[in-house]
Amino acid sequence: MASPLHNHGGDAFPSRPPFPELHHHRRSRLHFLILLIRIVTFGFALAAVIVTATISSPSWLRFNSFRFLLAANAIVAAYALFETCAAVYQILTGGATLFPEPMQLLFDFAHDQAFAYMAVAAGAAWAADARRVRGQGACEGGFCVKADVAVAMGFAAFVFLALTALITGYRIAGYLTTGSGRQQIR
């Protein structure tokens, strides 16, 4: 046991982190990083929706995979916009979440993963059909190029969703370890 002389009069296990301002700074950087990634995810997913929706050729309507690509990117864009607003709220309120903290962490983690898988599945499904369309020589009016751009944007949204899933997984681990995502892991 540490003597009061060696511990400067404090107890052996301080109740707060040794440098709370440093911990607060790290936490706010993490919140800003999450916000930045959410904004980038929203931008890529929205761009994919816009590119997909502006294809003038009606031939894309006959492909379920292409409609799935449009729907998946629209859902990812809506989710990313919601999470962007939630991240802004969290930053403005100093760490408060929309839902109770454990529910918010699980909500974010589960949805990040589910929508990331949906985005990559939609891109993969269309990529298989796109190869078949090219083989038949049915790429009229820049259809295939725009579709490929939409797939690339959707894959980029997937990458950033996967990155946020890693970060939210880290936050869950911190919560399970300390009992709060706001405490420092020692």
Side-chain angles (χ1 to χ4, degrees):
M1 180 170 163
S3 71
L5 295 175
H6 291 99
N7 196 16
H8 306 288
D11 60 359
F13 300 101
S15 61
R16 53 180 249 195
F19 302 105
E21 62 281 347
L22 180 63
H23 174 66
H24 175 72
H25 182 67
R26 285 183 194 155
R27 188 181 44 196
S28 65
R29 283 192 319 200
L30 182 64
H31 291 293
F32 278 109
L33 177 64
I34 291 171
L35 174 62
L36 178 66
I37 294 170
R38 299 282 188 200
I39 291 169
V40 171
T41 303
F42 172 71
F44 277 122
L46 182 64
V49 169
I50 291 170
V51 169
T52 306
T54 58
I55 293 175
S56 59
S57 173
S59 64
W60 69 271
L61 291 173
R62 62 188 164 136
F63 295 103
N64 289 333
S65 60
F66 199 71
R67 289 186 298 218
F68 178 40
L69 180 70
L70 177 64
N73 285 321
I75 290 168
V76 168
Y79 170 71
L81 180 61
F82 170 77
E83 285 291 342
T84 298
C85 294
V88 168
Y89 175 80
Q90 193 169 15
I91 289 170
L92 292 178
T93 59
T97 55
L98 295 175
F99 305 122
E101 190 174 17
M103 186 188 304
Q104 182 73 47
L105 291 172
L106 291 174
F107 177 88
D108 291 349
F109 184 64
H111 286 87
D112 286 344
Q113 285 192 33
F115 292 139
Y117 289 132
M118 183 179 64
V120 77
W126 170 246
D129 281 345
R131 191 172 73 218
R132 189 170 37 117
V133 169
R134 276 193 193 84
Q136 296 171 353
C139 289
E140 74 264 356
F143 168 72
C144 289
V145 172
K146 287 183 179 180
D148 289 343
V149 168
V151 168
M153 300 274 188
F155 278 138
F158 157 74
V159 167
F160 286 101
L161 273 175
L163 185 58
T164 55
L166 287 173
I167 294 171
T168 54
Y170 168 78
R171 291 179 65 204
I172 287 175
Y175 182 83
L176 293 174
T177 304
T178 64
S180 172
R182 297 186 191 118
Q183 293 180 3
Q184 180 177 2
I185 300 173
R186 296 182 205 174

